[in-house]
Amino acid sequence: MPPVLLKLGTTGYRFARYYTHSGSYVEKGPPALPMRLMAPFFVVTTIGVLATGVWLLLLGHKSDQLLFFHKLFFFVWGAIFVIHFLVYAPRVVRSLRSDWSSARRHAVPGSGLRGMLVAASIGAGAALALSLLSTIGNWHSG
Ligand code: HEM
């Protein structure tokens, strides 16, 4: 959840800067139309699958209706995720390669902060998962 919240935060920030007419964001332009149309469904199903998952966890027992919505959100999210990943993976490889090249790192401020935020979100995710391990026990005991 923390890495996903970081991702929704950063893309939400870009969205807000674009629609408040911030120069460099307007210059970069919006995502390609199909990705732009899919984004709201991707955000809603991401929040849906995580929220119903946590709700099931806290409920501690099987709720058919909640499980139905959890699966529904997951199937829609999964289909969008596959497209999102295939479309953007090449760009991620390119941007990571250029970001890591030291010349670039010096030219682009904030790389330290980005690295720290990503590391912190992954660390928080691992800590959250470990702290909730016992809560999952109920499900295993069925
Ligand atoms: C739960 C997982 C994820 C969510 C909720 C998510 C959400 C989003 C959203 C809402 C956008 C902005 C709209 C758009 O450009 O399509 C976006 C952009 C993007 N995503 Fe994801 N994403 C996820 C996972 C990934 C993964 C795994 C990759 C790696 C391949 C990725 C790479 C990108 C890239 C490269 C952009 C464009 C960023 C830019 O142009 O500034 N995303 N994502």
mmCIF file of all heavy atoms in Angstrom, residues 4 7-8 11-12 14 28-32 34-36 38-40 42-43 46-47 50 77 81 84-92 95, ligand 1:
data_model
loop_
_atom_site.group_PDB
_atom_site.id
_atom_site.type_symbol
_atom_site.label_atom_id
_atom_site.label_comp_id
_atom_site.label_asym_id
_atom_site.label_seq_id
_atom_site.Cartn_x
_atom_site.Cartn_y
_atom_site.Cartn_z
ATOM 1 N N VAL A 4 2.095 2.130 -3.483
ATOM 2 C CA VAL A 4 0.980 2.507 -4.371
ATOM 3 C C VAL A 4 0.487 3.910 -4.018
ATOM 4 O O VAL A 4 0.210 4.729 -4.905
ATOM 5 C CB VAL A 4 -0.174 1.477 -4.279
ATOM 6 C CG1 VAL A 4 -1.426 2.003 -4.956
ATOM 7 C CG2 VAL A 4 0.242 0.154 -4.904
ATOM 8 N N LYS A 7 2.783 6.325 -5.510
ATOM 9 C CA LYS A 7 2.546 6.419 -6.958
ATOM 10 C C LYS A 7 1.312 7.272 -7.245
ATOM 11 O O LYS A 7 1.340 8.163 -8.097
ATOM 12 C CB LYS A 7 2.358 5.004 -7.522
ATOM 13 C CG LYS A 7 2.009 4.936 -8.983
ATOM 14 C CD LYS A 7 3.144 5.405 -9.852
ATOM 15 C CE LYS A 7 2.695 5.647 -11.254
ATOM 16 N NZ LYS A 7 2.981 4.532 -12.145
ATOM 17 N N LEU A 8 0.229 7.040 -6.497
ATOM 18 C CA LEU A 8 -0.996 7.827 -6.717
ATOM 19 C C LEU A 8 -0.744 9.285 -6.352
ATOM 20 O O LEU A 8 -1.254 10.196 -7.004
ATOM 21 C CB LEU A 8 -2.146 7.238 -5.889
ATOM 22 C CG LEU A 8 -2.629 5.845 -6.310
ATOM 23 C CD1 LEU A 8 -3.748 5.352 -5.385
ATOM 24 C CD2 LEU A 8 -3.102 5.850 -7.754
ATOM 25 N N THR A 11 1.455 10.838 -9.338
ATOM 26 C CA THR A 11 0.678 11.058 -10.572
ATOM 27 C C THR A 11 -0.437 12.067 -10.304
ATOM 28 O O THR A 11 -0.782 12.858 -11.177
ATOM 29 C CB THR A 11 0.089 9.719 -11.071
ATOM 30 O OG1 THR A 11 -0.552 9.054 -9.995
ATOM 31 C CG2 THR A 11 1.160 8.836 -11.645
ATOM 32 N N GLY A 12 -0.973 12.073 -9.071
ATOM 33 C CA GLY A 12 -1.986 13.076 -8.712
ATOM 34 C C GLY A 12 -1.386 14.479 -8.723
ATOM 35 O O GLY A 12 -2.022 15.435 -9.172
ATOM 36 N N ARG A 14 1.143 15.450 -10.575
ATOM 37 C CA ARG A 14 1.336 15.830 -11.992
ATOM 38 C C ARG A 14 0.003 16.261 -12.594
ATOM 39 O O ARG A 14 -0.069 17.265 -13.305
ATOM 40 C CB ARG A 14 1.896 14.638 -12.765
ATOM 41 C CG ARG A 14 2.093 14.946 -14.231
ATOM 42 C CD ARG A 14 2.586 13.792 -15.022
ATOM 43 N NE ARG A 14 2.341 14.038 -16.443
ATOM 44 C CZ ARG A 14 2.241 13.075 -17.344
ATOM 45 N NH1 ARG A 14 2.370 11.821 -16.966
ATOM 46 N NH2 ARG A 14 1.999 13.346 -18.598
ATOM 47 N N LYS A 28 4.932 19.358 -21.139
ATOM 48 C CA LYS A 28 5.089 17.885 -21.281
ATOM 49 C C LYS A 28 3.816 17.274 -21.851
ATOM 50 O O LYS A 28 3.862 16.282 -22.567
ATOM 51 C CB LYS A 28 5.414 17.265 -19.922
ATOM 52 C CG LYS A 28 5.417 15.732 -19.995
ATOM 53 C CD LYS A 28 6.131 15.058 -18.882
ATOM 54 C CE LYS A 28 5.925 13.548 -19.040
ATOM 55 N NZ LYS A 28 6.858 12.741 -18.324
ATOM 56 N N GLY A 29 2.675 17.889 -21.517
ATOM 57 C CA GLY A 29 1.400 17.422 -22.069
ATOM 58 C C GLY A 29 0.803 16.273 -21.268
ATOM 59 O O GLY A 29 1.481 15.679 -20.430
ATOM 60 N N PRO A 30 -0.445 15.941 -21.535
ATOM 61 C CA PRO A 30 -1.123 14.856 -20.809
ATOM 62 C C PRO A 30 -0.660 13.494 -21.315
ATOM 63 O O PRO A 30 -0.004 13.403 -22.356
ATOM 64 C CB PRO A 30 -2.593 15.094 -21.152
ATOM 65 C CG PRO A 30 -2.547 15.687 -22.519
ATOM 66 C CD PRO A 30 -1.283 16.529 -22.573
ATOM 67 N N PRO A 31 -1.000 12.415 -20.599
ATOM 68 C CA PRO A 31 -0.681 11.081 -21.118
ATOM 69 C C PRO A 31 -1.397 10.838 -22.456
ATOM 70 O O PRO A 31 -2.351 11.554 -22.782
ATOM 71 C CB PRO A 31 -1.242 10.147 -20.039
ATOM 72 C CG PRO A 31 -1.467 11.006 -18.842
ATOM 73 C CD PRO A 31 -1.702 12.392 -19.335
ATOM 74 N N ALA A 32 -0.960 9.841 -23.194
ATOM 75 C CA ALA A 32 -1.631 9.498 -24.455
ATOM 76 C C ALA A 32 -3.106 9.221 -24.158
ATOM 77 O O ALA A 32 -3.437 8.731 -23.071
ATOM 78 C CB ALA A 32 -0.972 8.261 -25.063
ATOM 79 N N PRO A 34 -5.552 6.992 -24.775
ATOM 80 C CA PRO A 34 -6.048 5.749 -24.149
ATOM 81 C C PRO A 34 -5.627 5.634 -22.683
ATOM 82 O O PRO A 34 -6.419 5.244 -21.822
ATOM 83 C CB PRO A 34 -5.406 4.639 -24.994
ATOM 84 C CG PRO A 34 -4.972 5.295 -26.246
ATOM 85 C CD PRO A 34 -4.693 6.730 -25.931
ATOM 86 N N MET A 35 -4.372 6.041 -22.367
ATOM 87 C CA MET A 35 -3.885 5.967 -20.979
ATOM 88 C C MET A 35 -4.628 6.998 -20.128
ATOM 89 O O MET A 35 -4.961 6.732 -18.961
ATOM 90 C CB MET A 35 -2.377 6.238 -20.934
ATOM 91 C CG MET A 35 -1.536 5.323 -21.809
ATOM 92 S SD MET A 35 -1.862 3.592 -21.538
ATOM 93 C CE MET A 35 -1.036 3.332 -19.984
ATOM 94 N N ARG A 36 -4.898 8.144 -20.712
ATOM 95 C CA ARG A 36 -5.602 9.223 -20.000
ATOM 96 C C ARG A 36 -7.018 8.776 -19.647
ATOM 97 O O ARG A 36 -7.496 9.025 -18.537
ATOM 98 C CB ARG A 36 -5.634 10.448 -20.916
ATOM 99 C CG ARG A 36 -5.883 11.762 -20.232
ATOM 100 C CD ARG A 36 -5.731 12.884 -21.235
ATOM 101 N NE ARG A 36 -6.010 14.164 -20.624
ATOM 102 C CZ ARG A 36 -6.054 15.295 -21.316
ATOM 103 N NH1 ARG A 36 -5.835 15.284 -22.633
ATOM 104 N NH2 ARG A 36 -6.315 16.442 -20.705
ATOM 105 N N MET A 38 -8.029 5.651 -19.341
ATOM 106 C CA MET A 38 -7.990 4.502 -18.423
ATOM 107 C C MET A 38 -7.625 4.918 -16.992
ATOM 108 O O MET A 38 -8.014 4.257 -16.038
ATOM 109 C CB MET A 38 -6.903 3.506 -18.903
ATOM 110 C CG MET A 38 -7.459 2.266 -19.500
ATOM 111 S SD MET A 38 -6.251 0.984 -19.873
ATOM 112 C CE MET A 38 -4.693 1.778 -19.976
ATOM 113 N N ALA A 39 -6.890 6.043 -16.861
ATOM 114 C CA ALA A 39 -6.321 6.412 -15.548
ATOM 115 C C ALA A 39 -7.361 6.480 -14.419
ATOM 116 O O ALA A 39 -7.140 5.885 -13.358
ATOM 117 C CB ALA A 39 -5.552 7.731 -15.674
ATOM 118 N N PRO A 40 -8.521 7.146 -14.606
ATOM 119 C CA PRO A 40 -9.475 7.200 -13.480
ATOM 120 C C PRO A 40 -9.947 5.804 -13.044
ATOM 121 O O PRO A 40 -10.056 5.532 -11.848
ATOM 122 C CB PRO A 40 -10.642 8.022 -14.050
ATOM 123 C CG PRO A 40 -10.088 8.732 -15.227
ATOM 124 C CD PRO A 40 -8.971 7.900 -15.763
ATOM 125 N N PHE A 42 -8.217 3.096 -13.363
ATOM 126 C CA PHE A 42 -7.054 2.457 -12.729
ATOM 127 C C PHE A 42 -6.946 2.918 -11.274
ATOM 128 O O PHE A 42 -6.753 2.122 -10.364
ATOM 129 C CB PHE A 42 -5.789 2.820 -13.510
ATOM 130 C CG PHE A 42 -4.606 1.927 -13.253
ATOM 131 C CD1 PHE A 42 -4.764 0.654 -12.739
ATOM 132 C CD2 PHE A 42 -3.328 2.362 -13.556
ATOM 133 C CE1 PHE A 42 -3.678 -0.164 -12.506
ATOM 134 C CE2 PHE A 42 -2.226 1.545 -13.333
ATOM 135 C CZ PHE A 42 -2.401 0.284 -12.808
ATOM 136 N N VAL A 43 -7.122 4.218 -11.053
ATOM 137 C CA VAL A 43 -7.033 4.757 -9.685
ATOM 138 C C VAL A 43 -8.158 4.191 -8.810
ATOM 139 O O VAL A 43 -7.908 3.706 -7.704
ATOM 140 C CB VAL A 43 -7.084 6.300 -9.709
ATOM 141 C CG1 VAL A 43 -7.191 6.871 -8.304
ATOM 142 C CG2 VAL A 43 -5.859 6.863 -10.419
ATOM 143 N N THR A 46 -7.627 0.450 -8.139
ATOM 144 C CA THR A 46 -6.490 0.245 -7.225
ATOM 145 C C THR A 46 -6.929 0.482 -5.785
ATOM 146 O O THR A 46 -6.679 -0.348 -4.904
ATOM 147 C CB THR A 46 -5.338 1.222 -7.573
ATOM 148 O OG1 THR A 46 -4.913 0.981 -8.909
ATOM 149 C CG2 THR A 46 -4.170 1.048 -6.630
ATOM 150 N N ILE A 47 -7.621 1.609 -5.558
ATOM 151 C CA ILE A 47 -8.112 1.902 -4.197
ATOM 152 C C ILE A 47 -9.141 0.851 -3.785
ATOM 153 O O ILE A 47 -9.123 0.352 -2.654
ATOM 154 C CB ILE A 47 -8.703 3.326 -4.149
ATOM 155 C CG1 ILE A 47 -7.595 4.361 -4.403
ATOM 156 C CG2 ILE A 47 -9.405 3.590 -2.816
ATOM 157 C CD1 ILE A 47 -8.090 5.772 -4.656
ATOM 158 N N LEU A 50 -7.489 -2.602 -2.832
ATOM 159 C CA LEU A 50 -6.754 -2.499 -1.556
ATOM 160 C C LEU A 50 -7.715 -2.294 -0.379
ATOM 161 O O LEU A 50 -7.589 -2.953 0.661
ATOM 162 C CB LEU A 50 -5.735 -1.361 -1.638
ATOM 163 C CG LEU A 50 -4.560 -1.574 -2.589
ATOM 164 C CD1 LEU A 50 -3.704 -0.317 -2.702
ATOM 165 C CD2 LEU A 50 -3.706 -2.754 -2.146
ATOM 166 N N TRP A 77 -8.856 -4.258 -12.255
ATOM 167 C CA TRP A 77 -7.532 -3.667 -11.996
ATOM 168 C C TRP A 77 -6.439 -4.445 -12.759
ATOM 169 O O TRP A 77 -5.579 -3.861 -13.395
ATOM 170 C CB TRP A 77 -7.230 -3.698 -10.497
ATOM 171 C CG TRP A 77 -5.872 -3.191 -10.162
ATOM 172 C CD1 TRP A 77 -5.524 -1.892 -9.923
ATOM 173 C CD2 TRP A 77 -4.662 -3.956 -10.040
ATOM 174 N NE1 TRP A 77 -4.180 -1.798 -9.680
ATOM 175 C CE2 TRP A 77 -3.619 -3.063 -9.739
ATOM 176 C CE3 TRP A 77 -4.357 -5.314 -10.170
ATOM 177 C CZ2 TRP A 77 -2.307 -3.467 -9.559
ATOM 178 C CZ3 TRP A 77 -3.044 -5.733 -9.990
ATOM 179 C CH2 TRP A 77 -2.043 -4.802 -9.682
ATOM 180 N N PHE A 81 -3.821 -3.020 -15.333
ATOM 181 C CA PHE A 81 -2.414 -3.058 -14.920
ATOM 182 C C PHE A 81 -1.537 -3.646 -16.013
ATOM 183 O O PHE A 81 -0.462 -3.127 -16.321
ATOM 184 C CB PHE A 81 -2.246 -3.852 -13.624
ATOM 185 C CG PHE A 81 -0.819 -3.933 -13.165
ATOM 186 C CD1 PHE A 81 -0.247 -2.891 -12.459
ATOM 187 C CD2 PHE A 81 -0.036 -5.037 -13.471
ATOM 188 C CE1 PHE A 81 1.070 -2.946 -12.051
ATOM 189 C CE2 PHE A 81 1.288 -5.105 -13.069
ATOM 190 C CZ PHE A 81 1.842 -4.056 -12.350
ATOM 191 N N HIS A 84 -1.123 -1.050 -18.655
ATOM 192 C CA HIS A 84 -0.308 0.032 -18.111
ATOM 193 C C HIS A 84 1.166 -0.366 -18.074
ATOM 194 O O HIS A 84 2.043 0.378 -18.488
ATOM 195 C CB HIS A 84 -0.814 0.333 -16.704
ATOM 196 C CG HIS A 84 -0.273 1.578 -16.084
ATOM 197 N ND1 HIS A 84 -0.803 2.807 -16.319
ATOM 198 C CD2 HIS A 84 0.748 1.766 -15.236
ATOM 199 C CE1 HIS A 84 -0.139 3.708 -15.639
ATOM 200 N NE2 HIS A 84 0.818 3.104 -14.973
ATOM 201 N N PHE A 85 1.420 -1.592 -17.603
ATOM 202 C CA PHE A 85 2.805 -2.074 -17.477
ATOM 203 C C PHE A 85 3.460 -2.207 -18.848
ATOM 204 O O PHE A 85 4.575 -1.721 -19.063
ATOM 205 C CB PHE A 85 2.830 -3.415 -16.741
ATOM 206 C CG PHE A 85 4.222 -3.936 -16.516
ATOM 207 C CD1 PHE A 85 4.966 -3.472 -15.447
ATOM 208 C CD2 PHE A 85 4.793 -4.839 -17.389
ATOM 209 C CE1 PHE A 85 6.257 -3.910 -15.244
ATOM 210 C CE2 PHE A 85 6.091 -5.295 -17.200
ATOM 211 C CZ PHE A 85 6.821 -4.822 -16.122
ATOM 212 N N LEU A 86 2.738 -2.831 -19.802
ATOM 213 C CA LEU A 86 3.328 -3.063 -21.128
ATOM 214 C C LEU A 86 3.595 -1.750 -21.858
ATOM 215 O O LEU A 86 4.605 -1.597 -22.544
ATOM 216 C CB LEU A 86 2.409 -3.972 -21.948
ATOM 217 C CG LEU A 86 2.266 -5.411 -21.425
ATOM 218 C CD1 LEU A 86 1.250 -6.186 -22.254
ATOM 219 C CD2 LEU A 86 3.622 -6.119 -21.417
ATOM 220 N N VAL A 87 2.704 -0.776 -21.659
ATOM 221 C CA VAL A 87 2.864 0.524 -22.339
ATOM 222 C C VAL A 87 4.025 1.310 -21.734
ATOM 223 O O VAL A 87 4.830 1.901 -22.445
ATOM 224 C CB VAL A 87 1.567 1.355 -22.247
ATOM 225 C CG1 VAL A 87 1.802 2.809 -22.671
ATOM 226 C CG2 VAL A 87 0.471 0.717 -23.095
ATOM 227 N N TYR A 88 4.163 1.271 -20.415
ATOM 228 C CA TYR A 88 5.117 2.159 -19.754
ATOM 229 C C TYR A 88 6.465 1.527 -19.404
ATOM 230 O O TYR A 88 7.419 2.237 -19.109
ATOM 231 C CB TYR A 88 4.488 2.752 -18.495
ATOM 232 C CG TYR A 88 3.535 3.875 -18.772
ATOM 233 C CD1 TYR A 88 2.290 3.939 -18.138
ATOM 234 C CD2 TYR A 88 3.858 4.893 -19.665
ATOM 235 C CE1 TYR A 88 1.410 4.990 -18.383
ATOM 236 C CE2 TYR A 88 2.987 5.938 -19.923
ATOM 237 C CZ TYR A 88 1.766 5.977 -19.284
ATOM 238 O OH TYR A 88 0.908 7.015 -19.534
ATOM 239 N N ALA A 89 6.552 0.177 -19.400
ATOM 240 C CA ALA A 89 7.821 -0.448 -18.985
ATOM 241 C C ALA A 89 9.017 0.078 -19.795
ATOM 242 O O ALA A 89 10.042 0.449 -19.205
ATOM 243 C CB ALA A 89 7.715 -1.970 -19.072
ATOM 244 N N PRO A 90 8.892 0.193 -21.140
ATOM 245 C CA PRO A 90 10.059 0.721 -21.884
ATOM 246 C C PRO A 90 10.455 2.119 -21.413
ATOM 247 O O PRO A 90 11.652 2.412 -21.248
ATOM 248 C CB PRO A 90 9.568 0.733 -23.339
ATOM 249 C CG PRO A 90 8.430 -0.218 -23.376
ATOM 250 C CD PRO A 90 7.800 -0.175 -22.023
ATOM 251 N N ARG A 91 9.458 2.974 -21.115
ATOM 252 C CA ARG A 91 9.774 4.342 -20.688
ATOM 253 C C ARG A 91 10.455 4.318 -19.313
ATOM 254 O O ARG A 91 11.373 5.085 -19.047
ATOM 255 C CB ARG A 91 8.499 5.186 -20.611
ATOM 256 C CG ARG A 91 8.816 6.638 -20.315
ATOM 257 C CD ARG A 91 7.607 7.402 -19.882
ATOM 258 N NE ARG A 91 6.616 7.530 -20.933
ATOM 259 C CZ ARG A 91 5.617 8.397 -20.861
ATOM 260 N NH1 ARG A 91 5.512 9.184 -19.805
ATOM 261 N NH2 ARG A 91 4.714 8.451 -21.804
ATOM 262 N N VAL A 92 10.008 3.407 -18.437
ATOM 263 C CA VAL A 92 10.621 3.310 -17.104
ATOM 264 C C VAL A 92 12.090 2.920 -17.230
ATOM 265 O O VAL A 92 12.960 3.535 -16.607
ATOM 266 C CB VAL A 92 9.863 2.279 -16.233
ATOM 267 C CG1 VAL A 92 10.619 1.994 -14.950
ATOM 268 C CG2 VAL A 92 8.473 2.788 -15.920
ATOM 269 N N SER A 95 13.982 5.975 -18.520
ATOM 270 C CA SER A 95 14.147 7.094 -17.568
ATOM 271 C C SER A 95 15.054 6.691 -16.411
ATOM 272 O O SER A 95 15.852 7.493 -15.933
ATOM 273 C CB SER A 95 12.780 7.580 -17.068
ATOM 274 O OG SER A 95 12.151 6.572 -16.339
HETATM 275 C C1 HEM B 1 -0.890 -0.165 -8.660
HETATM 276 C C2 HEM B 1 -0.035 0.122 -9.587
HETATM 277 C C3 HEM B 1 -0.055 1.412 -10.407
HETATM 278 C C4 HEM B 1 -0.932 2.461 -10.396
HETATM 279 C C5 HEM B 1 -2.167 2.652 -9.544
HETATM 280 C C6 HEM B 1 -0.454 3.426 -11.408
HETATM 281 C C7 HEM B 1 -1.101 4.626 -11.705
HETATM 282 C C8 HEM B 1 -0.681 5.534 -12.665
HETATM 283 C C9 HEM B 1 -1.418 6.722 -13.059
HETATM 284 C C10 HEM B 1 -2.751 7.146 -12.500
HETATM 285 C C11 HEM B 1 -0.679 7.371 -14.004
HETATM 286 C C12 HEM B 1 -1.032 8.692 -14.725
HETATM 287 C C13 HEM B 1 -1.888 8.449 -15.907
HETATM 288 C C14 HEM B 1 -1.114 7.819 -17.067
HETATM 289 O O1 HEM B 1 -0.150 8.404 -17.537
HETATM 290 O O2 HEM B 1 -1.469 6.690 -17.436
HETATM 291 C C15 HEM B 1 0.515 6.600 -14.206
HETATM 292 C C16 HEM B 1 1.543 6.959 -15.069
HETATM 293 C C17 HEM B 1 2.657 6.174 -15.282
HETATM 294 N N1 HEM B 1 2.916 4.909 -14.778
HETATM 295 FE FE1 HEM B 1 1.787 3.931 -13.417
HETATM 296 N N2 HEM B 1 0.678 2.949 -12.008
HETATM 297 C C18 HEM B 1 0.956 1.727 -11.431
HETATM 298 C C19 HEM B 1 2.000 0.892 -11.732
HETATM 299 C C20 HEM B 1 2.973 1.186 -12.675
HETATM 300 C C21 HEM B 1 4.044 0.283 -13.039
HETATM 301 C C22 HEM B 1 4.242 -1.124 -12.487
HETATM 302 C C23 HEM B 1 4.808 0.939 -13.963
HETATM 303 C C24 HEM B 1 6.048 0.398 -14.610
HETATM 304 C C25 HEM B 1 6.044 -0.084 -15.793
HETATM 305 C C26 HEM B 1 4.211 2.266 -14.188
HETATM 306 C C27 HEM B 1 4.719 3.253 -15.018
HETATM 307 C C28 HEM B 1 4.129 4.475 -15.266
HETATM 308 C C29 HEM B 1 4.689 5.531 -16.111
HETATM 309 C C30 HEM B 1 6.029 5.488 -16.837
HETATM 310 C C31 HEM B 1 3.763 6.584 -16.136
HETATM 311 C C32 HEM B 1 3.874 7.903 -16.905
HETATM 312 C C33 HEM B 1 4.515 8.883 -15.998
HETATM 313 C C34 HEM B 1 4.771 10.208 -16.677
HETATM 314 O O3 HEM B 1 4.548 10.331 -17.852
HETATM 315 O O4 HEM B 1 5.160 11.110 -15.942
HETATM 316 N N3 HEM B 1 3.089 2.373 -13.392
HETATM 317 N N4 HEM B 1 0.494 5.484 -13.378
#
